[in-house]
Amino acid sequence: MTAQGNDWSQWGALWRDQPAIDVARLRRDAARKRWRMRVFVALEIAMSLVAFGSCLWRMMTTSGRWQLWSGASLLLVILLQILYLHVRRGTWRASGQDVRSLQQLTIVRAKAGIRLARINLWSTLAWTVFTLLISAPELEPSRWQADHRLRLMLTLQVAVNGPLILATVALCAWYIRRQRKRIESVGAMGLSEDAPAHRI
C-alpha cells in the first residue's frame, strides 16, 4: 500500500473515532438556555430595582457613615447591572444553526458565565469588606456589649448575611468549575475555545 493510501486510512480511522454530535439536541439546548437567560435577566433587573430603591431610601433616611454606605451601595447596584448586561452581549443567539456555530455559542456562554461569576464573587467580597469598615465603630465590644438592641441587630445580621455570603462564594466557585468543564467538553469535540464567531 502506498504512503498516500496509508494517510487516507489513518484519516478515515480518525474520522470514525470522532464522537457523534446530536445537532438537534444542540439546537434544543441553545433555545432552552436562551429562555432561561431571559427569565434570569428579568429577575435580575427586578432585584436590581428593589436594591436601587432600598439604597435610595437609606440615603434619604440616614446620615454620616451610613449615608456614605448607602450611596456606595447604590452605585454598586448600578455598576453591576451594567456589567451584567455588557457581559451577556453576544450570548443570545448563534451565528447559524450548524454544529460549529452552536458549539461556539456554548463556549461564548460558558466564558460569559465565568466572567459573571467572578464579578459576583469579587463584588460580594468588596461589599463585605466595605461594610465591615463602615460598621467598625458598632463592632467594638464596648459598644454592642452595652447596647442590647445593637447586639441583637448584629447577631441578626451575622446570622442572615454570613451564610448568604458563604453560599455566594461557594456557588460562584462551583459555577466557574462547571463552565470550565463545559468548555473542555466542547474542546474535546474538536472546536477551539478561542473560536470567535457569534452574533451580537
Side-chain angles (χ1 to χ4, degrees), residues 129-142:
V129 171
F130 179 67
T131 301
L132 290 175
L133 291 175
I134 290 293
S135 60
E138 285 82 2
L139 296 178
E140 294 181 2
S142 59

Side-chain angles (χ1 to χ4, degrees), residues 5 9 15 21 29 31-32 56 71 77 98 128 140-141 145 153 167 171 177 189:
S9 297
W15 181 82
I21 299 176
D29 290 344
R32 281 197 297 266
L56 188 61
V77 169
D98 56 289
T128 301
E140 294 181 2
Q145 287 177 354
M153 184 188 70
L171 181 62
R177 288 197 301 270
M189 297 179 186

Side-chain angles (χ1 to χ4, degrees), residues 115-137:
R115 287 193 291 271
L116 288 170
R118 286 174 175 168
I119 289 172
N120 284 326
L121 178 61
W122 290 111
S123 62
T124 298
L125 295 177
W127 180 81
T128 301
V129 171
F130 179 67
T131 301
L132 290 175
L133 291 175
I134 290 293
S135 60

Side-chain angles (χ1 to χ4, degrees), residues 1-187:
M1 182 179 292
T2 64
Q4 185 177 5
N6 288 330
D7 289 340
W8 280 109
S9 297
Q10 293 174 359
W11 291 339
L14 289 173
W15 181 82
R16 287 190 296 271
D17 290 338
Q18 291 294 320
I21 299 176
D22 189 342
V23 182
R25 181 181 177 183
L26 286 176
R27 291 171 180 168
R28 289 194 301 270
D29 290 344
R32 281 197 297 266
K33 176 68 174 178
R34 184 167 63 250
W35 277 107
R36 287 198 300 268
M37 288 170 60
R38 288 173 177 171
V39 173
F40 192 82
V41 169
L43 293 174
E44 184 181 89
I45 293 175
M47 292 175 63
S48 293
L49 290 174
V50 172
F52 181 90
S54 176
C55 292
L56 188 61
W57 178 79
R58 286 181 176 274
M59 280 187 63
M60 298 171 61
T61 57
T62 57
S63 60
R65 291 177 292 110
W66 290 108
Q67 190 175 48
L68 173 64
W69 179 88
S70 301
S73 298
L74 180 64
L75 292 177
L76 179 63
V77 169
I78 297 173
L79 177 61
L80 286 177
Q81 190 57 62
I82 293 173
L83 287 175
Y84 292 158
L85 295 176
H86 176 73
V87 170
R88 288 194 177 94
R89 291 180 60 201
T91 63
W92 294 97
R93 293 181 182 275
S95 58
Q97 293 298 307
D98 56 289
V99 172
R100 183 177 180 82
S101 297
L102 293 169
Q103 289 179 329
Q104 287 171 347
L105 178 63
T106 300
I107 290 177
V108 170
R109 284 176 172 174
K111 288 184 175 181
I114 291 174
R115 287 193 291 271
L116 288 170
R118 286 174 175 168
I119 289 172
N120 284 326
L121 178 61
W122 290 111
S123 62
T124 298
L125 295 177
W127 180 81
T128 301
V129 171
F130 179 67
T131 301
L132 290 175
L133 291 175
I134 290 293
S135 60
E138 285 82 2
L139 296 178
E140 294 181 2
S142 59
R143 286 286 304 276
W144 55 264
Q145 287 177 354
D147 190 334
H148 175 71
R149 292 183 61 184
L150 177 60
R151 184 166 64 251
L152 182 62
M153 184 188 70
L154 291 177
T155 301
L156 181 62
Q157 291 292 328
V158 172
V160 173
N161 292 323
L164 285 177
I165 293 171
L166 292 177
T168 299
V169 172
L171 181 62
C172 288
W174 169 81
Y175 189 76
I176 289 173
R177 288 197 301 270
R178 181 185 178 188
Q179 297 307 312
R180 285 176 175 169
K181 289 181 179 179
R182 181 166 294 175
I183 293 174
E184 291 174 358
S185 67
V186 175

